[in-house]
C-alpha cells in the first residue's frame, strides 16, 4: 500500500516548502556576523585610505582656507564645494536658496527614508579683505579661519573620498552639508533654513556638526543666546555751549553699569557681555546717537529669557534716569532696541544612542571625551528635539577667531583625528533611525 504524503505543518518533517524554524535564527546570525566582519574590514580600509591621502588633505585644507568666506560672503567657497561634491559622486548636489551646499551619499535603506546630516560651516568670523594666506611652520598651519571651520570642511571631503575608496556602505543616506551663516551676525541662518525650508527638512533624523580642530570634543548642550543693538538717541550739542543737557552716552554707560550689577545663575552657566560701542560726532560734541551691542547666553531657556527681560528693563530705567538727571529743554533721550541675534537653547541627553555611540567611537581611537555646552549649528536641531551633537576634527589647534589661528597637521595626530570622525559618522549612519 503506498505511503500517504506527509502532512504539511508537522515540525519534524522536511519538505522544500517547510524547514525547521530553528535554522533561520542561525542563518540570520551568520549573516549578521558576516556583515559585521565586512564593516570592520571596510572601516580599516577607509582609515588606510585616509592615511594614504594625507598630503592631498593638507593641500586641500590650505586651498579652502585661502578662499575668503566672510560673513554673508561665502559664495566662492560654496561654488568650490558644489564642484567637489559632484566630483565625489554625491547625488542631488545643489546650493539652496540660503546658500547651503547639499549632497547625498546613498545608504542601503529604501530611498526617501530617514537620513543623517553631517555638516561643517563655510563662513568665518573675519571681514572682507582679511589676509587668509596660510603660513606653514613645521607641522603647524597658521591662518585666520584655518581651524574654525576649514578643518571641518576639509574633513567632510576627506571622509567621502575614503568611504568611496573603501566602498563603505551605511544603512541610512548621509546628507553632507556645507552651511552658511554659523558665525556671529549670520545667526545660524544656514541651518535654520535647512530645518525650515530645505527639501530635506522632514527627513533629517540625526545631525552631526563638525566644527573646530579638537577631535575629543562632543557638544551635546546648546548654549542659547540673545543679542541686541541698542541705539540711544538725544538732541546733541556743543560740549561747552550745551553743557547740562541730556547725553545718550550717559544712558548707555548707566545701562552697562546696571547690567553688570545683575546676578545670574552659576549653574547652568549664564553670562552677559557689553561688547561693542559706537557713535559720537567729535571730541567737543555731546553725541546725538550712541549704539551699544550686548550678548547674553545660557543653556537654560528660562534663565536666558529672564536675563533678556531684565536687560530690556534696564535700558528703560537708564533712559528714564538720564531724562530726570539733566535738562530736556531741547529734547529727550530715547532708546531703539533691536534684537540682532537669537540662538535657541536645547540639548541631546547624555544617554541618547547618538551620544553614547559617539563617545564609544572616540574612546576606541584613544580620546577621553568631555561632554560640553556651546553655541554651534547643532543649536537648531537640538531646540527642535532632533538628536544632534557637534564634534571636532583633525589634530588639534588653537587661537580660534584670531588672526593667528592655527591647526596641527602632524601626520599621526591629524590622521587619527580624521579617522575617529569618519568612524563616528559611519557608526551614526548605521544606527536605527526609523524609530523615534
Amino acid at each position: 500500500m503506498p505511503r500517504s504524503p506527509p502532512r504539511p505543518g508537522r515540525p519534524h518533517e522536511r519538505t522544500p516548502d517547510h524547514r525547521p524554524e530553528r535554522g533561520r535564527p542561525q542563518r540570520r546570525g551568520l549573516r549578521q556576523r558576516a556583515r559585521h566582519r565586512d564593516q570592520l574590514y571596510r572601516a580599516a580600509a577607509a582609515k588606510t585610505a585616509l592615511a594614504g591621502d594625507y598630503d592631498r588633505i593638507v593641500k586641500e585644507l590650505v586651498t579652502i582656507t585661502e578662499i575668503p568666506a566672510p560673513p554673508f560672503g561665502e559664495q566662492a567657497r560654496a561654488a568650490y564645494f558644489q564642484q567637489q561634491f559632484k566630483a565625489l559622486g554625491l547625488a542631488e548636489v545643489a546650493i539652496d536658496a540660503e546658500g547651503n551646499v547639499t549632497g547625498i551619499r546613498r545608504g542601503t535603506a529604501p530611498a526617501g527614508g530617514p537620513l543623517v546630516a553631517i555638516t561643517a560651516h563655510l563662513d568665518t568670523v573675519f571681514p572682507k579683505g582679511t589676509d587668509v594666506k596660510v603660513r606653514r611652520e613645521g607641522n603647524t598651519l597658521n591662518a585666520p579661519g584655518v581651524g574654525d571651520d576649514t578643518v571641518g570642511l576639509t574633513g567632510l571631503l576627506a571622509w567621502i573620498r575614503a568611504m568611496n575608496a573603501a566602498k563603505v556602505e551605511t544603512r541610512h543616506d548621509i546628507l553632507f552639508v556645507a552651511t552658511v551663516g554659523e558665525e556671529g551676525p549670520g545667526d545660524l541662518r544656514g541651518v535654520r533654513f535647512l530645518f525650515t525650508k530645505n527639501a530635506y527638512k522632514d527627513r533629517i533624523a540625526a545631525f552631526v556638526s563638525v566644527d573646530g580642530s579638537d577631535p575629543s570634543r562632543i557638544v551635546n548642550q546648546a548654549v542659547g543666546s540673545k543679542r541686541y543693538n541698542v541705539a540711544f538717541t538725544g538732541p546733541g550739542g556743543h560740549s561747552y555751549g550745551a553743557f547740562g543737557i541730556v547725553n545718550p552716552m550717559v544712558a548707555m554707560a548707566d545701562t552697562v553699569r546696571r547690567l553688570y550689577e545683575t546676578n545670574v545663575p552659576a549653574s547652568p552657566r549664564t553670562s552677559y557681555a557689553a561688547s561693542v560701542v559706537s557713535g559720537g560726532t567729535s571730541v567737543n560734541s555731546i553725541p546725538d546717537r550712541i549704539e551699544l551691542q550686548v550678548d547674553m547666553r545660557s543653556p537654560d531657556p528660562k534663565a536666558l529669557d529672564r536675563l533678556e527681560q531684565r536687560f530690556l528693563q534696564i535700558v528703560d530705567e537708564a533712559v528714564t534716569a538720564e531724562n530726570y538727571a539733566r535738562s530736556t529743554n531741547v529734547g529727550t533721550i530715547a532708546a531703539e532696541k533691536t534684537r540682532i541675534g537669537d540662538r535657541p537653547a536645547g540639548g541631546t541627553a547624555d544617554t541618547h544612542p547618538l551620544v553614547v555611540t559617539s563617545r564609544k567611537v572616540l574612546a576606541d581611537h584613544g580620546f577621553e571625551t568631555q561632554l560640553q555646552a556651546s553655541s554651534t549649528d547643532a543649536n537648531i536641531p537640538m531646540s527642535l528635539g532632533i538628536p544632534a551633537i557637534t564634534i571636532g576634527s583633525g589634530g588639534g589647534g588653537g587661537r580660534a577667531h584670531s588672526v593667528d589661528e592655527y591647526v596641527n597637521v602632524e601626520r599621526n595626530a591629524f590622521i587619527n583625528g580624521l579617522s575617529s570622525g569618519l568612524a563616528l559618522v559611519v557608526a551614526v549612519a548605521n544606527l536605527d533611525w526609523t524609530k523615534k
Side-chain angles (χ1 to χ4, degrees), residues 294-314:
V294 170
D295 174 274
M296 296 168 281
R297 300 188 181 215
S298 180
D300 181 352
K302 292 181 179 179
L304 185 58
D305 286 344
R306 287 193 297 270
L307 177 58
E308 179 186 26
Q309 293 308 310
R310 176 57 188 148
F311 171 70
L312 296 175
Q313 182 183 22
I314 282 171

Side-chain angles (χ1 to χ4, degrees), residues 105-390:
R105 190 175 191 275
R106 299 292 187 197
T108 58
L115 54 75
V116 173
I118 308 297
T119 77
H121 65 85
L122 292 163
D123 59 317
T124 72
V125 298
F126 301 97
K128 183 179 180 180
T130 300
D131 182 4
V132 290
K133 184 72 175 176
V134 176
R135 307 181 316 279
R136 181 160 189 171
E137 300 174 359
N139 288 320
T140 302
L141 299 183
N142 302 271
V146 68
D148 187 6
D149 186 26
T150 315
V151 73
L153 291 167
T154 305
L156 263 58
L157 300 180
W159 293 340
I160 299 168
R161 278 197 301 270
M163 293 170 74
N164 290 348
K167 296 180 171 58
V168 172
E169 292 184 340
T170 58
R171 174 187 293 188
H172 297 288
D173 290 354
I174 300 176
L175 177 67
F176 287 96
V177 189
T179 64
V180 295
E182 192 275 343
E183 298 288 5
D187 202 32
L188 308 181
R189 65 187 177 92
V191 75
R192 284 182 199 275
F193 187 93
L194 184 67
F195 281 95
T196 57
K197 297 180 181 179
N198 189 278
Y200 303 107
K201 64 184 178 65
D202 296 322
R203 291 182 56 196
I204 300 174
F207 181 95
V208 178
S209 168
V210 186
D211 195 347
S213 57
D214 179 1
S216 68
R217 175 192 196 206
I218 296 180
V219 173
N220 71 321
Q221 294 295 315
V223 177
S225 65
K226 306 283 188 181
R227 293 166 176 167
Y228 276 86
N229 185 89
V230 182
F232 297 90
T233 58
H238 193 281
S239 61
Y240 185 77
F243 179 71
I245 69 169
V246 288
N247 187 336
M249 183 79 78
V250 178
M252 180 278 296
D254 192 27
T255 295
V256 174
R257 178 187 65 80
R258 291 169 187 257
L259 176 63
Y260 275 76
E261 291 176 349
T262 302
N263 293 321
V264 292
S267 180
R269 185 179 182 185
T270 302
S271 69
Y272 47 76
S275 48
V276 177
V277 175
S278 60
T281 305
S282 66
V283 69
N284 60 336
S285 299
I286 297 170
D288 60 4
R289 185 181 183 93
I290 294 292
E291 296 192 13
L292 167 69
Q293 291 186 355
V294 170
D295 174 274
M296 296 168 281
R297 300 188 181 215
S298 180
D300 181 352
K302 292 181 179 179
L304 185 58
D305 286 344
R306 287 193 297 270
L307 177 58
E308 179 186 26
Q309 293 308 310
R310 176 57 188 148
F311 171 70
L312 296 175
Q313 182 183 22
I314 282 171
V315 172
D316 292 339
E317 291 172 354
V319 167
T320 298
E322 177 60 8
N323 283 329
Y324 179 79
R326 267 161 280 280
S327 171
T328 58
N329 287 342
V330 292
T332 60
I333 300 296
E336 303 166 7
K337 294 168 278 192
T338 304
R339 185 189 288 173
I340 58 174
D342 185 359
R343 298 185 175 210
T348 302
D350 298 4
T351 55
H352 191 280
L354 174 61
V355 177
V356 173
T357 299
S358 299
R359 296 191 78 175
K360 182 180 184 306
V361 169
L362 295 187
D364 289 343
H365 284 77
F367 294 112
E368 184 177 346
T369 59
Q370 296 292 327
L371 300 181
Q372 300 177 5
S374 188
S375 180
T376 69
D377 270 343
N379 280 46
I380 299 297
M382 286 182 190
S383 72
L384 297 172
I386 296 170
I389 59 171
T390 294

Side-chain angles (χ1 to χ4, degrees), residues 76-87:
R77 277 197 186 182
Y80 178 87
F81 266 79
Q82 182 182 36
Q83 180 185 47
Q84 294 303 309
F85 279 1
K86 288 180 177 179

